[in-house]
């Protein structure tokens, strides 16, 4: 068995032996690049959110059509992971990652130059499909190195970086609108894509040695995916994560239009609300990874997160129907939703990846595909009929939280699992 390999920053990879994936962590440069790749998805989605109303007018379109640009990106992120995840199990992590990043950068340029809504939507689908390489392969690299609690803690470390993306993206996007239009946000994303491409090429080393790669082509990939899907507990964690992500993207996809249209706040004010709420994800991701996972079983943390998400959705409905408190009622409820994501998403992802140490790319692909497919479906629901509604937003959040709870209870069977 080959020994560990060194990253440029001096870290040792334990990829050759997943069971030993708790040795020296990656160094700062590797962690930053992996975090940047994971953050690329939220940045791609969130940076242009403050520009959605302006984009709609500029392209002479409608609010539901503009939200389809978000749906297109999420759909691309979902389907692209099915391509790049298994491909990375077969060819290694590095080559598919670099190809995906180059295509992402070119697709983002297409978005910046789009002169019609259909072309922009198509560009967003391609952009998301290529950007999926960073998401799925970064998680697979983490699984190559870690297992169990160590994996959760490293995902929490990545969460600090990726968690800053939804905080900073709308703020940066709103500030960009002071000097440019929505096209400028895509120019910024293209520049970031180019920077991450170069950084990944320089910093990252291969974490999947040749002897652990799948050599039987599509047949081996199909068998790996089929085996994972037949495992009810793995499927349960994927569905739990997917529906939880659906609740998150009901908020991400609907909040820009709902808060700016229904509550008449400016793009800059929206970016502040979004940033404050996103702080909850960073804080609770760190509390989860550094404190909670050491003291409480995963099933307890998952239950608390699911109950919190459902409560947040219910409160949005109550504060817009029974007691119409305006933004003062909706904002805290959405903050509570984001806090629940800091507990739900790292634990469900880590549980699913831990169950597939020898097919981390395929497992990561299924996990990411489920989450982004669900997100692509629910993102436009708060504006059905062309009329943004905070009540509809709360109803979608509550429905997704209840579906996630059902998947966790029925398929993961937490009452039969011994505490960690």
């Amino acid at each position: 068995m080959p020994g560990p390999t060194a990253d440029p920053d001096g870290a040792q990879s334990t990829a050759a032996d997943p069971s030993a994936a708790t040795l020296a962590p990656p160094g700062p440069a590797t962690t930053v690049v992996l975090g940047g790749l994971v953050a690329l998805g939220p940045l791609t989605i969130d940076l242009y959110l403050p520009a959605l109303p302006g984009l709609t007018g500029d392209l002479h379109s409608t609010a539901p059509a503009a939200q389809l640009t978000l749906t297109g990106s999420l759909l691309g992120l979902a389907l692209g992971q099915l391509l790049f995840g298994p491909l990375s199990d077969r060819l290694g992590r590095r080559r598919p990652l670099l190809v995906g990043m180059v295509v992402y950068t070119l697709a983002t340029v297409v978005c910046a130059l789009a002169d019609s809504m259909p072309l922009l939507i198509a560009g967003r689908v391609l952009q998301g499909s290529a950007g999926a390489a960073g998401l799925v392969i970064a998680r697979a690299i983490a699984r190559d190195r870690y297992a169990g609690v160590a994996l959760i803690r490293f995902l929490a470390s990545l969460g600090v970086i990726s968690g800053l993306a939804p905080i900073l993206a709308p703020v940066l996007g709103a500030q960009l609108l002071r000097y440019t239009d929505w096209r400028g946000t895509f120019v910024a994303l293209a520049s970031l894509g180019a920077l991450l491409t170069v950084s990944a090429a320089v910093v990252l080393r291969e974490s999947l040695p040749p002897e652990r790669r799948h050599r039987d082509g599509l047949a081996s990939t199909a068998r790996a995916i089929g085996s994972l899907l037949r495992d009810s507990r793995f499927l349960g964690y994927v569905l739990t994560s997917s529906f939880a992500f659906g609740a998150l993207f009901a908020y991400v996809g609907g909040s820009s239009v709902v808060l700016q249209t229904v509550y008449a706040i400016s793009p800059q004010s929206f970016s502040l609300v979004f940033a404050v709420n996103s702080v909850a994800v960073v804080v609770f991701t760190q509390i989860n990874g550094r404190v909670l996972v050491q003291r409480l079983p995963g099933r307890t943390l998952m239950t608390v997160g699911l109950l919190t998400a459902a409560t947040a959705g219910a409160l949005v409905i109550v504060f817009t129907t029974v007691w119409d408190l305006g933004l003062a009622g909706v904002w805290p409820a959405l903050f509570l939703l984001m806090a629940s994501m800091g507990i739900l998403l790292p634990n469900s992802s880590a549980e699913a990846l831990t169950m597939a140490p020898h097919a981390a790319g395929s497992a990561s692909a299924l996990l990411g595909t489920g989450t982004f497919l669900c997100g692509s479906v629910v993102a436009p629901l708060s504006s059905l009929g062309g009329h943004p509604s905070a009540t509809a937003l709360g109803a979608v959040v509550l429905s997704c939280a209840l579906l996630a709870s059902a998947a966790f209870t029925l398929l993961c069977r937490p009452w039969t699992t011994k505490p960690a």
Side-chain angles (χ1 to χ4, degrees):
M1 179 178 298
T5 59
D7 286 328
D9 48 24
Q12 287 188 324
S13 169
T14 59
D17 183 4
S19 65
T22 55
L23 298 179
T30 299
T31 301
V32 168
V33 173
L34 290 178
L37 292 171
V38 173
L40 188 62
L43 283 170
T44 299
I45 294 163
D46 296 340
L47 187 68
Y48 87 129
L49 287 180
L52 274 178
L55 178 155
T56 303
D58 190 37
L59 296 180
H60 308 289
S61 189
T62 63
Q67 285 188 305
L68 286 178
T69 62
L70 175 60
T71 298
S73 178
L74 291 170
L75 184 63
L77 284 165
L79 299 179
Q81 292 185 69
L82 282 180
L83 169 65
F84 286 104
L87 198 62
S88 74
D89 281 340
R90 183 182 179 190
L91 301 178
R93 312 301 186 200
R94 183 177 162 85
R95 282 184 292 169
L97 172 62
L98 296 178
V99 169
M101 291 305 302
V102 169
V103 175
Y104 171 89
T105 303
L106 296 176
T108 306
V109 172
V110 171
C111 291
L113 299 176
D115 59 359
S116 68
M117 190 64 76
L119 180 58
L120 178 59
I121 293 172
R124 289 285 281 174
V125 173
L126 180 60
Q127 182 192 40
S129 299
L135 288 170
V136 69
I137 295 176
R139 281 198 305 264
I141 291 173
R143 184 59 189 94
D144 290 339
R145 297 173 178 273
Y146 291 107
V149 171
L151 177 60
I152 298 176
R153 294 186 68 178
F154 185 65
L155 289 176
S157 297
L158 292 183
V160 174
I161 300 172
S162 62
L164 290 174
I167 295 174
L168 297 177
V171 176
L172 294 175
Q175 296 308 312
L176 280 172
L177 292 179
R178 293 179 178 272
Y179 307 101
T180 183
D181 60 7
W182 61 270
R183 298 181 189 278
T185 63
F186 287 106
V187 172
L189 286 173
S191 301
L192 176 62
L195 176 62
L196 283 174
T197 302
V198 174
S199 299
V202 172
V203 172
L204 297 183
R205 294 292 181 263
E206 183 58 62
S207 65
L208 187 69
E211 63 270 19
R212 288 183 52 213
R213 298 177 189 176
H214 295 178
R215 293 298 188 185
D216 298 332
L218 293 177
S220 176
T221 297
R223 285 195 299 270
I225 291 177
S227 176
L228 291 171
L229 291 176
R230 287 191 296 271
D231 188 321
S232 63
R233 289 188 66 239
F234 175 82
L235 183 60
Y237 283 115
V238 168
L239 290 175
T240 301
S241 179
S242 298
F243 288 125
F245 206 76
L248 173 63
F249 270 91
Y251 162 72
V252 171
S255 62
S256 174
V257 176
V258 168
L259 297 183
Q260 293 186 66
T261 302
V262 176
Y263 297 107
I265 65 175
S266 68
Q268 286 71 35
S269 296
F270 163 71
S271 69
L272 173 63
V273 172
F274 201 91
V276 171
N277 286 354
S278 297
V279 168
V281 175
V282 177
V283 171
F284 279 87
T285 295
Q286 289 305 294
I287 292 174
N288 175 77
R290 298 180 181 275
V291 179
L292 297 182
V293 295
Q294 305 287 348
R295 302 182 181 184
L296 295 172
R299 61 185 180 183
T300 300
L301 295 175
M302 293 285 292
T303 301
V304 170
L306 290 166
L307 288 174
T308 304
T311 300
L315 287 176
V316 172
I317 297 174
V318 170
F319 291 149
T320 55
T321 55
V322 181
W323 298 298
D324 189 358
L325 301 181
L327 187 61
V330 171
W331 188 351
L334 294 177
F335 182 91
L336 189 65
L337 171 66
M338 297 295 276
S340 73
M341 294 298 123
I343 296 175
L344 271 176
L345 297 180
N347 283 288
S348 58
S349 297
E351 290 287 350
L353 291 173
T354 297
M355 297 178 68
H358 300 296
S362 297
S364 181
L366 289 172
L367 186 66
T369 297
T371 57
F372 283 104
L373 274 179
C374 189
S376 68
V377 170
V378 304
L381 294 184
S382 62
S383 292
L384 280 181
H387 301 289
S389 167
T391 304
L393 173 60
V396 175
V397 168
L398 177 59
S399 298
C400 288
L402 293 177
L403 288 171
S405 299
F408 179 64
T409 302
L410 298 177
L411 296 177
C412 299
R413 301 183 299 277
W415 63 87
T416 66
T417 306
K418 294 181 180 180

